[in-house]
Amino acid sequence: EAGVAQSPRYKIIEKRQSVAFWCNPISGHATLYWYQQILGQGPKLLIQFQNNGVVDDSQLPKDRFSAERLKGVDSTLKIQPAKLEDSAVYLCASSSNRGNFWDTEAFFGQGTRLTVV
Amino acid sequence: KQEVTQIPAALSVPEGENLVLNCSFTDSAIYNLQWFRQDPGKGLTSLLLIQSSQREQTSGRLNASLDKSSGRSTLYIAASQPGDSATYLCAVRHSTGGFKTIFGAGTRLFVKA
C-alpha cells in the first residue's frame, strides 16, 4: 500500500512571498489532515477534511493560509504572504472511514520543511 | 483547554536498558490516546492506539498504559536498541468539542550502542 505523498520536501522562500504544498493521501482514505510542526513542538492541526468538506479549520490562520481538497482526493495548502514564524514542517496525514471513524489511525507523509527568510 | 506534556524532553540510555516515557494530559475527557514515533526528516509512524476504555496496549517490545482518571499514559520500551532512537510523541483525542487531537512536544530518545 502506497503511503501519503507530499511535495516538495523542502522549500525556502522570502517573507511576504507565497508558497503551496501538495498532498496525495492513501487511496480510499476519506479523511485528510494538515498539521504544522514548529521545531521542538508537537504537530498542531491546521485543517481537517472529510472527503472534500472541511470538518475543522479552527486553528488555520485564515488571513494567510488556505487549503482545498479537489474531488476529495489530493489537497493543497497555501500560504500567502508568508511570515518568518511560518517556518515549520507541514505534515499531511490521512485516515480511512472504515468502522468507527474516531478509532482509525492516521498515516503521515514525510512532510515539507518550510524555511522563511 | 487540553494540554499534553511529555517528560522527559530528552533521554539517553545504553543499549539493552528498559525505559519509560511519560505523557500527561489535563482534561480526562478523551476518546483515545496514540503514541507515535518520528524519525528525523520523516513523518510520524503510529505505534500504539489506546481507547479510553482500555488500560493498555502491547506491540512487540512496546507497552502503553493509560490511566484516564489521573491523566497519564506511559510508553514502556523493553530491551532498548539503537534503532529505537527517535522522537516519541503522544497525542490525545478529545471526546468533546469536535474530537480535536492534541500532541505533546515529544521525548527525544537516544540509545547508545
Side-chain angles (χ1 to χ4, degrees), chain A residues 16-72:
Chain A
R16 291 187 291 275
Q17 286 187 324
S18 62
V19 64
F21 312 128
W22 174 82
C23 173
N24 179 238
I26 292 173
S27 177
H29 279 195
T31 308
L32 186 147
Y33 313 79
W34 281 103
Y35 286 87
Q36 180 193 57
Q37 186 175 22
I38 294 172
L39 186 65
Q41 300 181 17
K44 181 183 79 172
L45 180 67
L46 294 176
I47 190 166
Q48 177 181 335
F49 291 95
Q50 180 71 12
N51 296 308
N52 60 356
V54 175
V55 174
D56 183 353
D57 64 356
S58 58
Q59 299 190 92
L60 186 74
K62 298 180 184 64
D63 58 334
R64 298 184 301 105
F65 286 64
S66 65
E68 60 179 4
R69 190 179 185 193
L70 303 174
K71 301 180 182 178

Side-chain angles (χ1 to χ4, degrees), chain A residues 11-20 64 78-84 86 114-117:
Chain A
K11 191 73 177 179
I12 300 175
I13 62 171
E14 295 182 350
K15 58 183 179 183
R16 291 187 291 275
Q17 286 187 324
S18 62
V19 64
R64 298 184 301 105
K78 297 179 182 178
I79 307 175
Q80 181 180 9
K83 293 184 176 181
L84 295 177
D86 298 332
L114 173 68
T115 302
V116 182
V117 299

Side-chain angles (χ1 to χ4, degrees), chain B:
Chain B
K1 178 187 174 185
Q2 177 75 274
E3 292 183 4
V4 181
T5 304
Q6 291 189 246
I7 294 173
L11 181 64
S12 180
V13 300
E15 182 178 6
E17 190 165 298
N18 302 326
L19 58 100
V20 175
L21 307 181
N22 297 290
C23 172
S24 62
F25 46 94
T26 55
D27 187 343
S28 61
I30 68 169
Y31 192 83
N32 59 38
L33 183 145
Q34 195 164 359
W35 283 93
F36 291 88
R37 169 182 173 142
Q38 186 172 33
D39 293 282
K42 296 189 178 181
L44 279 65
T45 301
S46 177
L47 298 173
L48 290 164
L49 173 68
I50 310 177
Q51 302 299 338
S52 62
S53 58
Q54 297 176 321
R55 298 285 293 188
E56 65 178 337
Q57 283 284 346
T58 298
S59 175
R61 295 183 293 110
L62 304 179
N63 175 276
S65 68
L66 175 63
D67 184 342
K68 202 173 69 166
S69 61
S70 66
R72 294 173 63 183
S73 175
T74 61
L75 179 66
Y76 175 83
I77 303 178
S80 59
Q81 302 170 358
D84 295 330
S85 298
T87 297
Y88 291 81
L89 295 155
C90 76
V92 169
R93 174 166 278 165
H94 274 272
S95 56
T96 58
F99 291 91
K100 281 186 172 56
T101 298
I102 309 296
F103 279 82
T107 293
R108 183 175 296 181
L109 173 66
F110 180 65
V111 181
K112 298 173 287 187

